[in-house]
Amino acid sequence: MAEERPGSSFNDDDYSFLRHVRFGEMPPAARPEERTALTETDPRRDQPDPGDERDRWDLRHGA
């Protein structure tokens, strides 16, 4: 059988300190001028590869 443990004796300040010890300081928030737009770099999966023949793509995918 598992031992029964008494209720936690930590309060919010104790948990805050433990989080700080474990994870450290949070980095400063990025300012709007430091942000950049997301640019997708992976090729689209719903289009054939550039070197692939369109007829083969249609046959392979039932178009």
Side-chain angles (χ1 to χ4, degrees), residues 5-61:
R5 297 179 183 175
S8 175
S9 60
F10 291 123
N11 60 27
D12 288 342
D13 290 335
D14 295 332
Y15 282 122
S16 176
F17 172 74
L18 293 174
R19 274 193 305 276
H20 178 74
V21 168
R22 182 172 180 187
F23 299 109
E25 300 259 342
M26 292 204 44
R31 296 188 312 258
E33 60 270 8
E34 295 174 339
R35 299 177 190 165
T36 58
L38 176 66
T39 303
E40 295 291 335
T41 56
D42 292 335
R44 292 177 52 175
R45 295 182 182 260
D46 62 338
Q47 296 291 317
D49 293 332
D52 202 4
E53 297 173 13
R54 184 68 188 174
D55 296 336
R56 288 181 52 205
W57 175 266
D58 289 343
L59 289 173
R60 189 174 349 146
H61 296 285

